[in-house]
Structure formats: structure tokens, C-alpha cells
Amino acid sequence: MAHFKLKMGGKTMSLLDGEHDIGRMSDCWLTLDDEMASRYHARFHVAGDAVELEDLGSRNGTYVNGERLEGRRVLQDGDRIRIGREMIAVLASDQGLDEEDSDLRQTLAPGEDPRFPALIGQLVSKSLKVGKIKEAERYVTALANQFAGTRVSPDHPAAAACIECFLRLASSSSSGAWIDRLFHLMAHQQWVMRPETLDEVRLALDRIPRIPSSGITEYERCLRGLEREGVAVPSELARAIGEIADAYGGG
């Protein structure tokens, strides 16, 4: 079965089963910062290996391969879509999920999509943008649950998406619980925190009065264990985590 993706600039997005709106509104699946696009400009209809595009009565029209779209049209590999100033390429691939995506799929609840971890960040971002903290919390909790029964490489896109979601939510809600959960996740996955992530954690902590101590304590133990196993743990990271543990050990 073909899997369809959209490529816009340097960004590639998977098209999952269902209906996906594109336009200027923040609740669109793909939001365009383009005054030539309508609020709800067009809609993708995805079912299995078939993808159709529908114009939603947009002011400036939707174009496929240079032709203005009327009604709905079945899309093919290589089609080029123009909405306002944005050019979007349609890509089809018969390549299956990689091994780590297969591992993640096994942790999903029935009816959920295996690409969920890599896409949920978009929903979190949209929820926080309109101030829906509780909604964002539900999304992040659902995302974190996908990692409970599997190990994922820190280089996997889903790992980056999950870390980013935790940090965004911690900063937006000023709740130390999300930093604590991030440390628990990194300890469980045995990820060595990257310098840019450590910088973001420090920035978040500047705005958070206190965090629970169990996560940072667990992660500090995790790093010591990794060092004993011969894993390279940067001295700056070990020192910084120790300082955070000392500062929040009574939290």
C-alpha cells in the first residue's frame, strides 16, 4: 500500500487516513501564514492508498499542476499543488515503517496511527497557541504513553518530538511536573541529554519555582549507570544534572 506525504519547503509531512484541512486558521491540520490563502482553503481526503484534494470555496483558488481545482481531484505521485504562494509536492512511497516505528506501533491503542508520535507535536503547538493548556496536557500524556513499553533511539524523530512537547508544556504551564516527567522518560529510555535540551531545561527552570525531585534523582542515577557501562556522558551534563538534583532535591 502506498503511503503519501507532502513536501513543502524543507518540511515533509505524512498524510494519514482521514480529512485534513489546510488554510490560515490555527485549527487547520496545516496552517499557512499567507494572506492569499483562505481561512479554510482546501481539504485532503485520505483513505488507504487513495488521496483526494478538495477546494473549500477559497477566494484565490487551489491549483494542481497549474490547473485550477474544481470540486475534488485524485492526487498522484509527483503532483504539485499551489495554494497562495505555497508550493506543495505530493510524494508516494511503498516503503514500510522502519523497525523503530514498528516498535512504537505495538504500544498504540487500537485505532491509533503508528505515525502518531511524530505528528502529535503539531496538535500540542496549536493547543498552546490558543491557550488550551488542559488539551495540550492530554496530548502530551498520550504521547508519553507510547514510550512506556518500548525503547527508542534518541535520534528517532519521535524522541525529539516528545522532548520538545514536554519542554513546551512545562514553559507554557510553569508546572515543574512536566520537567519531572521528562527526566523520568529520559531515565527510562537511557537517553543522554543533548546540550541544546539541557539549555532548554535550564530556561524552563528559571520560570518554574519548584519541581518534584524523583525524576531528576532517577536520571542522575541513570547517568551514573551509563558511565559504569562505558557510555560517554559529557562531564558538563553530569555536573549540571547534579546541580539541578541538589537544588531541587527537597522538591
Side-chain angles (χ1 to χ4, degrees), residues 10-137:
K11 185 177 182 180
T12 302
M13 298 152 285
S14 294
L15 273 173
L16 311 178
D17 279 1
E19 296 183 346
H20 311 289
D21 289 352
I22 178 171
R24 296 200 325 271
M25 295 299 287
S26 61
D27 59 344
C28 286
W29 174 74
L30 178 58
T31 302
L32 301 178
D33 184 15
D34 185 344
E35 69 275 10
M36 293 185 66
S38 296
R39 292 182 301 168
Y40 297 99
H41 195 106
R43 177 175 295 151
F44 291 99
H45 300 267
V46 187
D49 58 356
V51 178
E52 294 183 349
L53 179 62
E54 176 188 8
D55 183 83
L56 299 177
S58 64
R59 181 178 68 255
N60 293 313
T62 301
Y63 293 81
V64 179
N65 301 327
E67 298 180 2
R68 184 159 183 159
L69 178 63
E70 301 291 342
R72 288 167 63 157
R73 172 170 173 165
V74 176
L75 297 177
Q76 306 291 338
D77 182 32
D79 281 346
R80 295 182 65 80
I81 302 165
R82 181 170 67 81
I83 294 178
R85 298 184 180 89
E86 300 290 350
M87 295 297 299
I88 304 170
V90 179
L91 307 175
S93 172
D94 292 322
Q95 182 178 0
L97 301 174
D98 62 29
E99 181 179 348
E100 287 182 352
D101 279 323
S102 296
D103 288 341
L104 284 170
R105 182 183 57 229
Q106 295 171 10
T107 73
L108 297 175
E112 289 185 329
D113 191 279
R115 299 288 179 176
F116 172 79
L119 297 173
I120 197 69
Q122 297 180 27
L123 296 174
V124 173
S125 180
K126 291 179 186 298
S127 297
L128 294 177
K129 187 176 180 180
V130 296
K132 296 182 178 179
I133 300 293
K134 293 297 183 184
E135 183 175 285
E137 288 178 344

Side-chain angles (χ1 to χ4, degrees), residues 144 147-148 150-155 159-160 162-164 166-167 178-201 214-223 226 237 241:
F147 292 84
T150 188
R151 290 289 178 86
V152 180
S153 165
D155 297 322
C162 193
I163 292 170
E164 182 180 4
F166 272 91
L167 289 169
W178 295 103
I179 296 293
D180 182 62
R181 291 190 64 174
L182 173 60
F183 282 127
H184 278 299
L185 171 68
M186 299 200 76
H188 170 71
Q189 293 291 332
Q190 296 188 334
W191 292 337
V192 176
M193 186 177 288
R194 296 183 176 182
E196 57 269 26
T197 303
L198 177 60
D199 289 342
E200 291 186 56
V201 167
S214 59
I216 183 62
T217 301
E218 181 183 0
Y219 189 55
E220 187 180 26
R221 286 198 301 267
C222 169
L223 291 181
L226 290 175
L237 173 62
I241 295 302

